[in-house]
Amino acid sequence: MTNTIPPPAGFDQDLLKKLVTQHDALQQMWLSGYLYGIALHGHPAVSNGESAGVLPAAAPSQPATAIRVAVLFGSQTGNSKKVAGQVAARIRERGWEAGVNDLNDYPAKNLKDEKIVLLVVSTQGEGDPPAAAEEFHKWLLGPRAPKLDGLAFSVCALGDKNYLKFCQTGKEFDERLESLGAARLAARADCDADFEETVDEWIETVLLHIAALAPGRAAATSGHRQTNGTVAMVHTPVPQAKNGVEFGRKRPFPAQVLEKIRLDGRGSAKETWHVELSLDGSGLVYEPGDSLGIYPQNPGSLVREVLYTAMLNGDKVLKFNDRENVFRNILLRDVELTVLTREVVEKYAAWTNNGRLKTLLEDAAALKTFLWGRNVADLLREYPAALSEATLLSFLRKMPPRLYSIASALSAHPDEAHLTVAAVRYHHNDRLHLGAASTFLADRAAAGETAPVFIERNEYFKLPADDAADIIMVGPGTGVAPFRAFVEARSETARQYPARQQGKNWLFFGNPHFETDFLYQTEWLNHLKRGTLDRLDVAFSRDQEQKIYVQHRLAERSRLIFERLDNGAFFYVCGDKDRMARDVQAAVLQIITKETGRDQAYAEEYLKGLKKQRRYLEDVY
């Protein structure tokens, strides 16, 4: 609900009613901006006998107000930063000022002095703010946040509908700013994994409302940039193929599968694949730490199950995404079937008017349990209803891309991207369920065939700019993928510049069994021999009675880890967010308390400092 501020005592209510009822929307917008300018800079000069407080008959020839917008972003991988840069560029094209700040560096006390704030923020997992926004989030939602009656704001929230608390951080910022008295400039935008279209709409709406605050302000010609008072944003040009076609999320490149190798040994309970893809002719480039986005196909068995369960015609021609296709192909490529989200259940419950589903939606814990492991076919089986092909499509989410950490360095493998993929197969309610992207790569994308891909940059999971800095990498299971790229890149740098000082590379790897699950074992041992890997600590949890995980190995190396951290080392974690990453962080806190002799509060501040310096970095999911 939009915040409204009651008029002060003595305000002429009749005049307000007259202004609202006797002027059209354009005139009201002009008046709003004119009065806003007076509030910012004081009354206009009085001349020619005009009385103070009386509006001139005509609009002034000079702008009534100079517009300055503070664009703040909180980003985990760089998407929020990218959106912040886009909206700032569009603001400057209008001739207005835009200051861009990372919430990791923004002084929270400055917020009360801002007039217009656009906040772009992502959400991590089930409702957590990104590491860069943690302090600002705690401050804003805490008792020290000031009243913000003079602030106009809008929030662009980035998230993923696979999570129950979709865009939770953005929602919390939006609600809190309003409760502190700030006025919503434009409604919050909640963006799913494919966010470009929603972001474009939000930017257009925001610009429209800012324009209402700048009467008489002529729009600058396209391409103009006003940079005074702004924080420079790094702009990475979109790479182009040799034929001039730009490949990206909206237009993925058809990458040929070069080779697939099963990494697990015979008898392993896991199924892990090394997949090599060709980027030749794409113009796509990446750095260690970036991800490869893949648009998968749903398993054909799941498509058949949906058609059979709902008794629908797979050969029926329908229009979807502005293209006509047979229903079976739409289910195969264009919509999400393997993952069930809250939004799908809400739409299905509303259309079927199913009381049991509506009750389920009111219980967050029960809903989370219900969604886990289920797919669209499960929903149709357990809550059957007669529906048409078009109706089912109206419930379903567009197929989102899956992101995989790239397990190679371009310097070591030109025009290629390598992935480490764990095939997802499990039984639920006595039926086999398959992951969309993992089994697409493992089963259906054979060598010589193509997969639609794009590069997803992760600006905050990168090697140190200083080659001499030490790094500590914790990557159990497929979490080791980006660290294969890290070590390859540093190995190539050492080969090309032998006289340059190189930092030490230390890897912690874990999996169930040494004999069957030591991913890339030969490569790691070769790096150890060459010195491009300084240390390798492994934890094979099921090879002994007492389970051993990477956090236990960290504790065993407590003194050396702290020495390296205290001397500027970077610490990286990749893999499972809910268990592994939490346990690793707890282990690091214990290391700090043990090696410093200080208390938990000191350790937490020390770790917070590492995160703020971007020396404790996570790529977790």
Side-chain angles (χ1 to χ4, degrees):
M1 186 174 184
T2 302
N3 184 70
T4 55
I5 304 171
F11 188 84
D12 191 336
Q13 298 276 6
D14 291 335
L15 174 61
L16 177 62
K17 184 176 180 181
K18 182 177 180 180
L19 290 172
V20 171
T21 59
Q22 296 186 10
H23 295 81
D24 61 25
L26 182 61
Q27 292 169 327
Q28 291 172 12
M29 290 169 67
W30 184 93
L31 183 62
S32 169
Y34 184 81
L35 295 176
Y36 186 82
I38 292 175
L40 283 177
H41 302 292
H43 288 280
V46 179
S47 61
N48 299 328
E50 290 182 358
S51 301
V54 178
L55 292 176
S61 58
Q62 297 297 321
T65 176
I67 296 295
R68 186 184 186 282
V69 182
V71 183
L72 310 179
F73 67 89
S75 190
Q76 189 75 11
T77 64
N79 283 333
S80 293
K81 178 180 179 180
K82 179 167 66 175
V83 172
Q86 290 173 352
V87 69
R90 295 290 303 280
I91 289 169
R92 292 167 189 153
E93 286 175 358
R94 299 292 189 99
W96 306 325
E97 293 183 21
V100 183
N101 286 276
D102 188 337
L103 287 175
N104 188 55
D105 307 314
Y106 181 74
K109 61 182 178 61
N110 290 1
L111 190 64
K112 68 180 185 301
D113 299 321
E114 307 285 6
K115 297 303 179 183
I116 305 175
V117 165
L118 303 180
L119 185 59
V120 186
V121 65
S122 63
T123 295
Q124 302 309 302
E126 288 295 355
D128 297 325
E134 283 179 354
E135 285 190 51
F136 184 85
H137 179 267
K138 182 178 180 180
W139 172 83
L140 187 67
L141 272 64
R144 290 185 172 84
K147 294 296 290 181
L148 298 170
D149 294 338
L151 179 69
F153 76 95
S154 186
V155 174
C156 182
L158 272 60
D160 187 333
K161 287 181 179 176
N162 280 337
Y163 295 95
L164 280 178
K165 294 184 178 180
F166 172 60
C167 289
Q168 181 67 22
T169 302
K171 292 175 181 177
E172 290 174 356
F173 279 151
D174 185 61
E175 293 168 3
R176 180 59 170 163
L177 287 169
E178 183 183 38
S179 72
L180 292 171
R184 193 173 285 106
L185 181 71
R188 184 186 71 246
D190 292 339
C191 306
D192 197 7
D194 274 331
F195 54 83
E196 286 85 355
E197 185 175 336
T198 307
V199 164
D200 289 343
E201 293 174 356
W202 175 73
I203 291 175
E204 290 300 325
T205 303
V206 162
L207 292 175
L208 178 65
H209 286 283
I210 294 176
L213 304 179
R217 187 81 172 186
T221 57
S222 178
H224 176 74
R225 296 290 186 272
Q226 185 166 332
T227 57
N228 292 338
T230 66
V231 175
M233 296 291 293
V234 177
H235 174 65
T236 303
V238 177
Q240 290 190 336
K242 297 172 184 177
N243 60 5
V245 177
E246 295 179 357
F247 293 107
R249 182 183 283 258
K250 290 185 178 181
R251 184 169 185 166
F253 173 71
Q256 183 181 15
V257 178
L258 298 173
E259 189 173 9
K260 295 196 302 186
I261 302 170
R262 177 77 182 267
L263 293 176
D264 308 295
R266 182 177 298 176
S268 175
K270 294 192 170 189
E271 182 186 341
T272 310
W273 292 86
H274 174 78
V275 182
E276 299 183 356
L277 297 156
S278 172
L279 301 181
D280 186 32
S282 69
L284 295 175
V285 294
Y286 62 86
E287 296 176 322
D290 288 341
S291 296
L292 193 73
I294 294 182
Y295 285 100
Q297 294 180 15
N298 285 308
S301 58
L302 179 56
V303 171
R304 291 190 292 273
E305 189 176 7
V306 168
L307 292 172
Y308 175 81
T309 303
M311 296 184 290
L312 299 174
N313 180 5
D315 295 323
K316 186 171 183 177
V317 177
L318 295 171
K319 190 173 184 179
F320 188 78
N321 284 350
D322 298 323
R323 300 193 312 270
E324 284 192 345
N325 207 336
V326 295
F327 184 52
R328 180 179 291 102
N329 288 342
I330 294 173
L331 292 180
L332 186 67
R333 298 184 178 90
D334 296 334
V335 293
E336 174 70 272
L337 295 181
T338 61
V339 177
L340 195 58
T341 67
R342 180 190 187 107
E343 184 180 43
V344 171
V345 176
E346 286 176 339
K347 290 179 179 179
Y348 191 74
W351 189 83
T352 60
N353 198 28
N354 189 294
R356 288 170 57 206
L357 278 178
K358 290 181 177 179
T359 300
L360 180 67
L361 286 163
E362 295 172 357
D363 185 337
L367 179 61
K368 184 176 182 179
T369 300
F370 175 79
L371 293 177
W372 189 91
R374 282 180 168 84
N375 57 32
V376 171
D378 291 311
L379 179 66
L380 297 173
R381 278 177 175 273
E382 296 175 41
Y383 297 91
L387 70 168
S388 69
E389 293 80 8
T391 300
L392 177 60
L393 285 182
S394 71
F395 301 151
L396 300 180
R397 180 190 187 194
K398 290 182 181 179
M399 177 69 84
R402 270 56 168 183
L403 302 179
Y404 288 93
S405 296
I406 299 175
S408 57
L410 267 179
S411 55
H413 307 280
D415 292 325
E416 293 183 15
H418 299 176
L419 305 179
T420 311
V421 179
V424 176
R425 310 180 199 272
Y426 61 95
H427 281 82
H428 186 81
N429 290 340
D430 297 323
R431 291 169 37 251
L432 179 64
H433 289 58
L434 305 174
S438 64
T439 60
F440 170 67
L441 290 170
D443 301 342
R444 302 186 292 283
E449 297 182 358
T450 62
V453 307
F454 61 92
I455 300 299
E456 183 80 355
R457 305 194 182 282
N458 188 338
E459 296 192 34
Y460 301 118
F461 201 77
K462 287 285 182 286
L463 282 166
D466 181 4
D467 291 333
D470 294 341
I471 63 174
I472 302 169
M473 304 164 283
V474 182
T478 57
V480 79
F483 304 136
R484 181 177 184 262
F486 278 23
V487 175
E488 282 188 347
R490 284 197 145 191
S491 178
E492 285 297 307
T493 300
R495 184 182 62 82
Q496 294 177 30
Y497 306 99
R500 183 184 297 177
Q501 183 181 354
Q502 301 294 325
K504 296 176 181 178
N505 309 319
W506 187 355
L507 174 65
F508 287 83
F509 172 75
N511 236 352
H513 298 287
F514 169 79
E515 289 190 359
T516 59
D517 304 313
F518 196 167
L519 307 184
Y520 302 112
Q521 177 184 2
T522 302
E523 293 185 21
W524 298 131
L525 295 179
N526 285 335
H527 281 300
L528 275 173
K529 289 178 183 178
R530 294 196 299 266
T532 45
L533 193 62
D534 170 59
R535 296 183 65 98
L536 173 63
D537 282 81
V538 294
F540 294 105
S541 58
R542 305 303 197 273
D543 278 353
Q544 60 284 311
E545 185 177 348
Q546 186 73 26
K547 293 179 181 176
I548 297 176
Y549 297 106
V550 288
Q551 62 266 25
H552 300 127
R553 296 303 188 207
L554 289 168
E556 293 172 359
R557 307 289 183 260
S558 175
R559 181 185 58 81
L560 185 55
I561 287 173
F562 183 75
E563 284 180 2
R564 293 197 180 181
L565 286 177
D566 220 33
N567 286 314
F570 287 64
F571 194 97
Y572 299 88
V573 185
C574 183
D576 174 69
K577 174 183 174 62
D578 294 329
R579 290 164 296 179
M580 183 277 295
R582 180 191 61 205
D583 292 340
V584 166
Q585 180 166 299
V588 171
L589 288 170
Q590 290 173 3
I591 287 170
I592 297 168
T593 57
K594 177 182 176 181
E595 300 305 325
T596 62
R598 307 289 290 273
D599 59 13
Q600 181 75 7
Y602 175 83
E604 290 175 353
E605 283 301 312
Y606 189 102
L607 181 58
K608 185 185 294 184
L610 292 178
K611 290 182 177 181
K612 196 167 184 64
Q613 297 167 42
R614 300 200 189 280
R615 289 201 293 122
Y616 187 100
L617 300 163
E618 296 179 310
D619 182 8
V620 295
Y621 37 84

